[in-house]
Amino acid sequence: MTITPPALSVFETLESEVRSYCRGWPAVFDRAQGARLTDEDGHTYLDFFAGAGSLNYGHNNPVLKRALIDYIERDGITHGLDMATTAKRAFLETFQNVILRPRDLPYKVMFPGPTGTNAVESALKLARKVKGRESVVSFTNAFHGMSLGSLAVTGNAFKRAGAGIPLVHGTPMPFDNYFDGTVPDFLWFERLLEDQGSGLNKPAAVIVETVQGEGGINVARAEWLRALQELCHRQDMLLIVDDIQMGCGRTGGFFSFEEAGIVPDIVTLSKSISGYGMPMSLCLFKPELDIWEPGEHNGTFRGNNPAFVTAAAALDAYWADGQMEKQTQARGEQVEQALLAICAEEPTAHFRGRGLVWGMEFEDPARASAVCARAFQLGLLLETSGPKSEVAKLLPPLTITTEELDEGLRTLARCVRETA
């Protein structure tokens, strides 16, 4: 397939220079279904991007679409702030019965706003309010959002620079295997906490991703996460798990921390929680932390009722019987075997991942961008990640078929060969 870049005049002349994804994928997309998008010229693309993880159930999932259309056609509430609605009640009951109770998770549910960074901001505010301290520890190569509080606990220098002001009250620590196994886990962190001369203010909380998506698909070991939880308990710090991209089944279990057997104090969810790509986020926390005053954290669009409808439908359709987790694990094994074969032929590439999030890192950082550019030419959407964009990131819908997955992996192998 040969793709001719479209005329993008209105986008180039009117839209801000801040736009990014469209630069790597110069097409005008028009329709999408399942794991494929179609541009206005009729070219189709296999999607290994899934809306940056917000489309775990694919584009225009028919089950979720039917629920949404029925709700709209009966004039269901669209905008409701934090008022009680039938759509919100149905979502809360489904979330409790399908997700929380089977996992023995006691969390209260907060609707902080439509985006992931809203959820992170609320988590940071709540942790500071509960503990009465300002400092929050994050990790090298972390990404938690683009608003100021979230940027303060984000590692990427380019994104941090966009703030335009000093980003304060966040302290970075080394993520799992940051020193390639040469330094015991948490040696530096614990030494600073215990040394009265270290200059580290006592943190209110630690925020962590179990798999760093934007940071380069860096996977934390289960034992590292358990040790982090134990350290937080011992040092009177709250543990926040940012599950915005890796939650909702991306790594296998509904929550990415399930495999480690930990129970974070606070959890943030967004992206695929609505199931349909609509804005929605949650901040979950243990009941004893629920010390908010009414209205102390609010927002006009924190109650997206159509998103409640599709979210409840997604939970009922995909999480009531445990099959989604098994399918994701099987698809993950399929990806792992394909990447193993690719890297056997390409010694400068290495891969890592869990479930259906994988990254292929190249010793020459420019190679990852070249692979993704060639993939677009061949009808496959891939993005890069990592501090130097050195990782080609695989993030297909969880509902992708084995045939579609194999097709995309064959295309990836071709791209790696052709960019050598």
Side-chain angles (χ1 to χ4, degrees):
M1 173 172 67
T2 301
I3 297 171
T4 303
L8 298 173
S9 57
V10 70
F11 305 106
E12 293 173 343
T13 60
L14 189 60
E15 192 178 359
S16 166
E17 292 298 319
V18 78
R19 65 193 189 279
S20 59
Y21 289 114
C22 58
R23 298 180 188 275
W25 301 328
V28 179
F29 295 104
D30 181 47
R31 292 172 288 115
Q33 210 287 317
R36 297 187 188 273
L37 295 89
T38 305
D39 69 19
E40 64 180 358
D41 295 323
H43 300 122
T44 60
Y45 303 80
L46 187 58
D47 189 2
F48 271 30
F49 174 65
S54 62
L55 293 165
N56 280 3
Y57 312 107
H59 296 268
N60 288 303
N61 182 289
V63 175
L64 312 189
K65 179 166 62 176
R66 184 71 265 159
L68 179 60
I69 289 173
D70 288 347
Y71 183 75
I72 292 172
E73 285 186 338
R74 74 168 184 82
D75 291 330
I77 296 292
T78 296
H79 182 271
L81 294 153
D82 70 353
M83 294 184 290
T85 66
T86 56
K88 181 195 281 190
R89 179 174 59 202
F91 167 73
L92 285 170
E93 290 175 347
T94 304
F95 190 67
Q96 183 177 51
N97 293 332
V98 175
I99 302 300
L100 296 181
R101 279 181 178 157
R103 293 161 179 80
D104 197 26
L105 294 172
Y107 296 133
K108 297 289 288 292
V109 179
M110 176 183 178
F111 301 101
T115 70
T117 200
N118 288 121
V120 170
E121 294 284 356
S122 67
L124 299 178
K125 286 170 65 174
L126 181 60
R128 289 169 171 141
K129 180 178 174 67
V130 168
K131 292 299 181 183
R133 308 181 206 127
E134 296 177 353
S135 176
V136 172
V137 165
S138 58
F139 290 96
T140 50
N141 292 310
F143 178 77
H144 295 291
M146 297 297 281
S147 50
L148 293 181
S150 301
L151 278 176
V153 290
T154 287
N156 186 284
F158 174 76
K159 292 180 172 67
R160 290 175 62 89
I165 61 170
L167 297 170
V168 297
H169 309 308
T171 303
M173 290 292 165
F175 191 71
D176 190 14
N177 204 38
Y178 188 72
F179 294 112
D180 300 318
T182 61
V183 176
D185 295 336
F186 307 116
L187 175 65
W188 174 242
F189 189 6
E190 196 149 20
R191 186 74 58 84
L192 291 178
L193 287 169
E194 294 175 352
D195 183 358
Q196 296 300 307
S198 71
L200 176 66
N201 293 329
K202 181 78 170 183
V206 175
I207 186 168
V208 67
E209 303 155 274
T210 66
V211 180
Q212 294 182 326
E214 296 299 312
I217 317 301
N218 305 311
V219 182
R221 293 166 296 144
E223 56 266 33
W224 187 86
L225 292 168
R226 288 192 290 268
L228 176 61
Q229 176 177 259
E230 197 278 329
L231 175 63
C232 287
H233 289 172
R234 193 168 66 250
Q235 294 287 348
D236 187 34
M237 303 178 296
L238 297 179
L239 177 60
I240 305 169
V241 168
D242 181 341
D243 234 3
I244 287 166
Q245 188 169 83
M246 298 305 153
C248 302
R250 177 54 57 180
T251 65
F254 185 84
F255 295 106
S256 70
F257 55 81
E258 291 179 49
E259 180 184 338
I262 64 173
V263 180
D265 299 293
I266 303 175
V267 180
T268 60
L269 288 174
S270 187
K271 290 193 182 287
S272 276
I273 187 60
S274 81
Y276 206 72
M278 289 189 290
M280 177 178 171
S281 74
L282 305 177
C283 186
L284 314 176
F285 39 82
K286 294 180 177 178
E288 62 269 24
L289 304 181
D290 193 10
I291 62 171
W292 291 112
E293 295 290 336
E296 192 173 10
H297 183 98
N298 59 20
T300 304
F301 295 103
R302 64 193 184 278
N304 188 345
N305 282 263
F308 294 156
V309 171
T310 55
L315 297 180
D316 275 332
Y318 294 103
W319 292 99
D321 61 3
Q323 291 305 305
M324 176 57 74
E325 181 172 355
K326 294 177 182 177
Q327 177 176 300
T328 298
Q329 290 169 345
R331 300 283 195 274
E333 291 171 4
Q334 183 180 350
V335 175
E336 185 174 13
Q337 291 304 309
L339 295 182
L340 192 64
I342 294 172
C343 291
E345 296 182 5
E346 178 49 75
T348 67
H350 313 277
F351 71 92
R352 52 187 176 264
R354 277 179 60 196
L356 272 177
V357 52
W358 294 85
M360 178 174 287
E361 181 177 0
F362 296 90
E363 293 178 7
D364 175 7
R367 183 83 177 279
S369 294
V371 166
C372 291
R374 181 58 178 146
F376 174 76
Q377 293 173 348
L378 297 174
L380 176 66
L381 299 186
L382 287 175
E383 72 163 335
T384 61
S385 71
K388 299 178 182 178
S389 297
E390 73 277 20
V391 177
K393 180 180 180 183
L394 284 66
L395 207 70
L398 304 185
T399 52
I400 194 169
T401 66
T402 55
E403 294 78 16
E404 289 169 330
L405 192 55
D406 185 59
E407 175 189 338
L409 292 167
R410 289 198 309 271
T411 301
L412 173 63
R414 177 180 171 183
C415 295
V416 172
R417 287 194 302 270
E418 293 183 356
T419 57

